[in-house]
Amino acid sequence: MQIAVAATPEVAIPTLELILSSGHQLSAVITQPDRPAGRGLSLKESAVATWAAANKVSVHKPESQDELALIAGRFDLIVTIGYGMIIRQEILDLPKFGFINLHFSLLPRWRGAAPVQRAIESGDEVTGVTVFKLDKGMDTGPIFRQVSAEIKSDSTSASLLKELAVLGAPIVLETISAIAQGENPKTQPAAGATRAEKLTKDEGRIDWSLPADVIYRKIRAFFPNPGSWTTFRGSVIRIERANVADSTEGKPGDITVVEKALIVTCGQGSLKVIELKAAGKSTMAASAWLNGAQPKPGEGFQ
């Protein structure tokens, strides 16, 4: 079976490595074109393109769906993982066995662009991976395999994505073998479907009037992107690590220093900030920021 993987982010690499070492024929990688990145906005290739070059796997970087159509028919099966493009149905039909997708949720819950982030933000205790056949809908295709995973109380989007990427790789491999043996996927139920909308920078602004546990989930969900942020003396501060604390003194956003720890009052409860990033600075311990900022009584985050 001639297999291609259409992917862009680093979370696709565990699957790529497993397919490459499995005996299946990984014929090519399809990924997004190089994009401007960094302060100099120089062109940078995707993590998947870098991996393919290092492993001597052919790389395609189509600029449009029309270009993708010229490529897709060359393969028996295409596996997508965060490819970054909603693919037209006529293209999905080109490979002999179509396209399958590794999705980081237990579909139909959290269909869409940010399933891991939305699961953490919503306080879900369980998530997982789903391998399904792509159709014209938004993550609505029939399902081949699902495996569940616990969301730990301190999981961030970054840490959970890494776990799910490793968990999903052998499930993709199992699905490929099942397809080769003629197995058909099962219709995905519509009941319980939710949408995982793409995150925006504005969503990352912390509303200190919310309960501490809600803010804590958002900080974990939005790390590392788009990040959770607030302002102090008019400058942006990114809050990168925190824990729920018991203190409730003051009004939402007020800063209290308790045994050199940075405590912020929330609508209910408080947060202990562990690490933050001030504008133009590297990530630092909250205690180091306190030493420099020296917040005055009554000052707080806005």
Side-chain angles (χ1 to χ4, degrees):
M1 187 186 298
Q2 297 277 334
I3 299 169
V5 174
T8 300
E10 189 175 356
V11 290
I13 291 176
T15 297
L16 285 163
E17 291 181 339
L18 196 56
I19 293 174
L20 186 64
S21 64
S22 68
H24 290 288
Q25 187 167 354
L26 179 58
S27 301
V29 161
I30 304 168
T31 191
Q32 289 292 310
D34 299 355
R35 304 292 190 199
R39 292 185 178 180
L41 295 180
S42 58
L43 290 178
K44 183 178 180 180
E45 65 181 7
S46 71
V48 165
T50 300
W51 179 91
N55 288 275
K56 299 181 180 179
V57 176
S58 176
V59 182
H60 300 281
K61 301 177 182 180
E63 296 277 356
S64 67
Q65 297 223 28
D66 289 340
E67 288 187 23
L68 177 61
L70 297 174
I71 299 167
R74 304 176 191 175
F75 309 106
D76 297 312
L77 177 69
I78 298 180
V79 180
T80 65
I81 309 171
Y83 176 48
M85 179 187 293
I86 298 175
I87 302 168
R88 300 195 304 259
Q89 185 63 52
E90 63 266 28
I91 300 175
L92 296 177
D93 294 335
L94 290 173
K96 180 179 179 180
F97 298 108
F99 285 64
I100 61 172
N101 178 251
L102 172 61
H103 185 78
F104 299 118
S105 81
L106 296 175
L107 292 173
R109 186 161 178 79
W110 301 127
R111 294 171 174 169
V116 171
Q117 294 89 335
R118 297 305 182 189
I120 294 174
E121 181 188 19
S122 296
D124 292 2
E125 295 181 352
V126 176
T127 186
V129 296
T130 302
V131 180
F132 69 99
K133 186 170 183 176
L134 279 178
D135 62 14
K136 63 182 180 181
M138 175 64 77
D139 300 328
T140 57
I143 293 172
F144 281 102
R145 297 286 188 277
Q146 288 187 310
V147 177
S148 62
E150 176 191 3
I151 300 179
K152 301 180 183 68
S153 61
D154 61 349
S155 291
T156 65
S157 289
S159 66
L160 185 53
L161 269 169
K162 287 181 180 179
E163 291 176 22
L164 296 179
V166 173
L167 177 67
I171 309 307
V172 171
L173 205 62
E174 185 179 323
T175 301
I176 293 171
S177 297
I179 290 170
Q181 294 168 15
E183 182 177 314
N184 292 315
K186 296 180 180 179
T187 300
Q188 184 181 148
T194 56
R195 283 293 295 273
E197 301 289 353
K198 185 177 180 180
L199 303 177
T200 66
K201 182 180 179 180
D202 286 345
E203 280 188 274
R205 181 159 197 165
I206 297 171
D207 179 356
W208 295 105
S209 69
L210 293 173
D213 61 335
V214 173
I215 298 173
Y216 174 57
R217 292 201 305 264
K218 288 178 178 288
I219 291 170
R220 291 163 44 222
F222 298 168
F223 180 82
N225 291 306
S228 296
W229 59 278
T230 187
T231 60
F232 180 76
R233 296 174 186 165
S235 296
V236 171
I237 303 288
R238 284 173 57 111
I239 308 297
E240 299 196 337
R241 287 183 60 214
N243 282 324
V244 175
D246 295 329
S247 174
T248 57
E249 296 180 2
K251 64 182 184 299
D254 279 358
I255 291 173
T256 306
V257 181
V258 180
E259 296 180 353
K260 298 184 180 181
L262 170 55
I263 308 297
V264 187
T265 303
C266 305
Q268 295 176 22
S270 300
L271 276 185
K272 176 182 178 181
V273 178
I274 299 171
E275 290 183 344
L276 52 73
K277 187 176 185 297
K281 301 288 184 66
S282 300
T283 299
M284 67 180 76
S287 57
W289 178 82
L290 284 170
N291 288 337
Q294 294 290 315
K296 299 172 184 176
E299 281 194 300
F301 292 135
Q302 302 295 318

